[in-house]
Amino acid sequence: MSATAVPETGPGAGTDAGTGAGARPAAVPQSRARRTARRRELGACAALMTPFFVLLVVVFLVPVGGAVWLSFFQDDQPGLGFGPERTVFAGLRSYRAVLSDPTFLAGLGTTALYCLVYLPLMVVLALALALLLDSGAARLRRTAQLALFLPHAVPGIIAAVIWLYLYTPGLSPVVEALGKADITVDFLGADTVLPSVVNIAMWSNLGYNVVIFYAALQAVPRELTEAALVDGAGPVRTALQIKVPLVRASAVMVAMFTLIWSLQLFTEPMLISQTTPVVGSRYTPNMYIYDAAFTRNNYGLAAAASVVVLAVTVALSYGLSRWSNRTGAGGGGSADVAAEEDSR
C-alpha cells in the first residue's frame, strides 16, 4: 500500500505560504506612503518653482519671442512711398541688413574692446580690494565697505551725468585744475572717450562686486589661512595661493555678470554723445537698436539687431561657463594641495 501524505498541522505548517501572503498587506501601506510623500515633494517643488517660471515666461520668453517674430517683418509703402503703409514678411532681410551694416559691426567692435578693458580690470580690482578688507590691514573696515558700495546705490544715469560734468571742459573743476598745472587732457577725445566710459562703469559697479568677493572670503576656513601663516607664508602668498582658488566660483559669477552688463552698454555713451561728436548715435549695438527703432522707425531692423545681440550674449556667457568648468576640472588647485599638506 502506498503511503498517503498527511498534511502538517503543527505550528510550522504553512510558514512559507503565510510569509508571502502576510508580506503583501505590509508592503502596500509602505508603497502608498512613499507615493504620497513623493506627491507632496513634487507639489512643494511646483509651488516654489511656479513663480520663477511665470516670471521667466512673462519677462524673458514672451519679449524674446516677440522680437524674433517682429524681426521677420518690415513696414512697406507701395507706390513710391505714397501708398498706405503695410507690414510685409521680409524673412531674413533684416538680419542681412544688420550683419552687413558697418556701423553695427563697428559698434560690436567697440563693445568688444570695452569688454577687454573693463572685464579683467573689474574682476582684478574688486578681488584685490576684497582681499585687502578681509586681511584686516584696512582700518575702519565697515566704513570702507559702505564707501565702496555707495556709488552702486546711485542710479546709472545720475552717475553718468556726474562724470559728464567732471569731463566737460569749461565746467569741470578737474579739467580746470589740470589746466593750471599745464596738463591738457581731453576726457572726451577720440582716444580717451572709451577709458572715460570704463571709469564711469568702474565707479558705479566696483563696490557691488567687492561685496560679493568679501562675502565669499568670509566662508574660507580660517584653519587654512592660520596653517599657511604657521608654515611661513606671507599675507600675499596666503591670499594668492589659499584664498583666491577658494573663491573661484565667485570670480566666475562676477565675470559673467560683468560680461552681460558690458554687452548692454547704453546709458554712459548715450549721454556722452550729447556733448561730443566722437560718440555717434550708433556707437554701441544697443544705441544702434535705439536709433533704428525710435529715430528711423524701423522696428524690424531693431528687432533683428536685438536678437543678434542676445545671441552673442548667450554664446559668450555659455563659452565663459564652459571654460571655467574645464579649468576647474583640470586639477585640484593650490588650496587643495595646501589642505592636503596641512592634513599630513
Side-chain angles (χ1 to χ4, degrees), residues 5 11 23 27 37 47 86 96 101 105 113 157 212 230 285 297 300 314 319 329:
R86 61 181 182 179
R96 289 195 295 266
D101 193 336
L105 298 178
L113 181 60
I157 189 170
I212 293 178
V230 170
N297 296 322
V314 172

Side-chain angles (χ1 to χ4, degrees), residues 116-129:
L116 290 176
V117 176
Y118 175 61
L119 182 59
L121 189 62
M122 171 61 75
V123 174
V124 172
L125 187 56
L127 181 57
L129 289 174

Side-chain angles (χ1 to χ4, degrees), residues 81-339:
F82 296 100
E85 187 177 81
R86 61 181 182 179
T87 302
V88 298
F89 181 75
L92 299 177
R93 189 186 309 169
S94 296
Y95 290 96
R96 289 195 295 266
V98 167
L99 296 177
S100 61
D101 193 336
T103 57
F104 181 80
L105 298 178
L108 285 179
T110 300
T111 305
L113 181 60
Y114 173 83
C115 291
L116 290 176
V117 176
Y118 175 61
L119 182 59
L121 189 62
M122 171 61 75
V123 174
V124 172
L125 187 56
L127 181 57
L129 289 174
L131 289 170
L132 181 63
L133 293 174
D134 184 68
S135 67
R139 297 181 179 179
L140 301 176
R141 184 182 306 175
R142 295 184 181 275
T143 304
Q145 292 175 1
L146 180 62
L148 287 171
F149 186 77
L150 273 180
H152 183 72
V154 179
I157 189 170
I158 303 301
V161 170
I162 293 173
W163 281 100
L164 185 60
Y165 166 75
L166 296 176
Y167 289 154
T168 303
L171 297 176
S172 171
V174 176
V175 175
E176 182 180 357
L178 292 175
K180 292 180 179 179
D182 294 332
I183 301 176
T184 303
V185 179
D186 185 7
F187 293 104
L188 302 179
D191 298 329
T192 56
V193 66
L194 189 61
S196 298
V197 174
V198 170
N199 178 65
I200 298 175
M202 288 288 298
W203 183 82
S204 301
N205 301 317
L206 180 63
Y208 177 80
N209 294 320
V210 169
V211 170
I212 293 178
F213 280 127
Y214 182 76
L217 288 170
Q218 296 305 297
V220 175
R222 296 303 171 187
E223 294 80 4
L224 293 179
T225 57
E226 292 173 359
L229 293 176
V230 170
D231 291 340
V236 176
R237 185 179 178 184
T238 301
L240 295 179
Q241 296 188 358
I242 302 297
K243 295 181 180 181
V244 172
L246 292 176
V247 298
R248 180 179 169 278
S250 298
V252 173
M253 182 184 67
V254 168
M256 185 172 297
F257 285 167
T258 304
L259 175 64
I260 294 173
W261 290 334
S262 300
L263 294 174
Q264 299 175 3
L265 182 63
F266 177 78
T267 303
E268 295 85 356
M270 188 67 181
L271 288 177
I272 291 177
S273 67
Q274 308 300 318
T275 59
T276 176
V278 174
V279 179
S281 60
R282 307 175 192 176
Y283 187 72
T284 66
N286 281 353
M287 294 177 65
Y288 180 94
I289 295 169
Y290 180 87
D291 179 75
F294 301 107
T295 302
R296 292 177 282 171
N297 296 322
N298 193 338
Y299 299 106
L301 187 68
S306 64
V307 172
V308 171
V309 173
L310 175 63
V312 172
T313 303
V314 172
L316 291 178
S317 301
Y318 177 76
L320 178 61
S321 177
R322 289 295 301 271
W323 174 80
S324 64
N325 291 335
R326 288 183 179 180
T327 55
S334 302
D336 294 339
V337 175

